Amino acid sequence: MVVAASPSKLVPGTLFADRFRVVREVGAGGMGVVYEVEQVSLGRRRALKTLHPRVLVRSTPEATRKLRERFLAEARTSASITSPYVVAFDDCGIDTATEQPWALMELLQGQPLDALVEARGVLGAAEAWTLLRQAGEGVGAAHRAGVVHCDLKPENLFVTRDGTVKVLDFGISRIVDAYRTHALGTTPCGSPRWMAPEQTERNRPIRPATDVWSLGLIAFHLLTAKHYLPGANRSDVPLLALLLQIRAVEPVPASARARELGVVSELPTGFDAWFARCVVADPARRYADATT
């Protein structure tokens, strides 16, 4: 029996937290690593998420403590959302041997939405609408639970083998008091290609309409395999230039922007009006949440 003893990536066969046998690494991002594991007590396969080892190694003790708290808060936030379109969290905790936080989730089979678009290109209107409707239901469930995702993008929308969308990664989500007229202020956060104007400045209110902006851009991407913001289609555009483009976005109709980008297929009837309501600069003029 191999026992994990340090904050390093887990090796297949490792018994982690005295209850999870590591099968393989599924994927890694800037902050976390996800493994397929066997939950030994029940003999079932699940997904186990931990903080990326390099994050812990480079952090001061105080920063590490805050990272653990944030990690566990994400797990608890996700677990508070009840929807078939949000990845299910079963449990979370801290391994006593390594002080590594962990979260146990359902194991998904399929691919992220960005990989689907990369492989297939433009999606048909019916399929795109089905995927977007499911994503909207998942995000809408989060909004009803008082949670704004703040980082919606194709990488965080997973499409299972049976075509079900699962919303992932509430790592920078904001807890919103549903009984107040405006949400909590925030520092700039999110992924520049998909984030709303209010996310680019400090202390701007964050509300469910913030996620609506991202969903609008995702819908355009599904139907065109392009980014609505011209600079987002280039890898050499500086981050600052992209942020300025987000703040000064021109209300160009989606169909006109698609033609500018060389998209041959026509957008569905009515899409321009729907899209315009998603990406209007003033959050108060957008759809109120992901299910409206």
Side-chain angles (χ1 to χ4, degrees), residues 3-244:
V3 179
S6 63
S8 59
K9 279 197 174 184
L10 304 180
V11 178
T14 296
L15 186 68
F16 179 76
D18 296 326
R19 67 189 85 175
F20 309 118
R21 193 174 305 282
V22 179
V23 177
R24 65 187 178 95
E25 181 180 323
V26 175
M31 294 291 291
V33 186
V34 178
Y35 303 91
E36 178 181 347
V37 300
E38 178 189 3
Q39 189 176 7
V40 176
S41 61
L42 298 177
R44 64 178 181 176
R45 295 293 177 94
R46 308 300 279 172
L48 183 81
K49 184 176 182 179
T50 66
L51 274 175
H52 201 295
R54 67 167 174 256
V55 175
L56 294 175
V57 169
R58 296 173 182 175
S59 300
T60 64
E62 177 63 16
T64 297
R65 181 186 65 79
K66 290 182 178 179
L67 283 169
R68 291 194 188 102
E69 290 176 354
R70 173 179 168 179
F71 182 95
L72 296 176
E74 175 194 343
R76 296 183 183 111
T77 296
S78 299
S80 72
I81 303 166
T82 303
S83 171
Y85 306 116
V86 174
V87 64
F89 277 65
D90 295 336
D91 200 1
C92 65
I94 297 179
D95 174 41
T96 55
T98 64
E99 297 187 334
Q100 172 74 287
W102 55 266
L104 192 68
M105 307 175 289
E106 64 176 313
L107 181 64
L108 302 176
Q109 302 290 341
Q111 61 184 329
L113 193 54
D114 64 318
L116 178 65
V117 174
E118 184 177 354
R120 293 177 46 196
V122 175
L123 301 185
E127 182 180 13
W129 167 246
T130 297
L131 296 174
L132 190 70
R133 179 189 60 78
Q134 294 182 61
E137 288 291 336
V139 177
H143 293 166
R144 290 191 295 276
V147 177
V148 182
H149 191 286
C150 294
D151 196 24
L152 287 175
K153 53 187 176 182
E155 296 95 316
N156 285 338
L157 298 175
F158 194 92
V159 185
T160 67
R161 289 176 179 172
D162 69 359
T164 301
V165 172
K166 298 281 188 175
V167 182
L168 310 176
D169 200 356
F170 285 84
I172 62 171
S173 61
R174 295 290 183 259
I175 308 301
V176 178
D177 182 351
Y179 298 100
R180 290 166 55 188
T181 57
H182 57 274
L184 302 176
T186 182
T187 55
C189 64
S191 299
R193 285 184 173 89
W194 310 100
M195 60 201 261
E198 61 268 24
Q199 291 178 270
T200 68
E201 301 176 25
R202 292 180 180 273
N203 300 319
R204 288 284 302 276
I206 296 298
R207 61 192 78 188
T210 299
D211 287 339
V212 170
W213 173 285
S214 302
L215 286 171
L217 295 186
I218 290 169
F220 182 88
H221 186 62
L222 296 182
L223 293 168
T224 65
K226 301 287 186 180
H227 294 281
Y228 178 77
L229 295 173
N233 291 291
R234 297 170 48 192
S235 59
D236 61 343
V237 174
L239 176 60
L240 178 59
L242 189 55
L243 293 178
L244 291 173

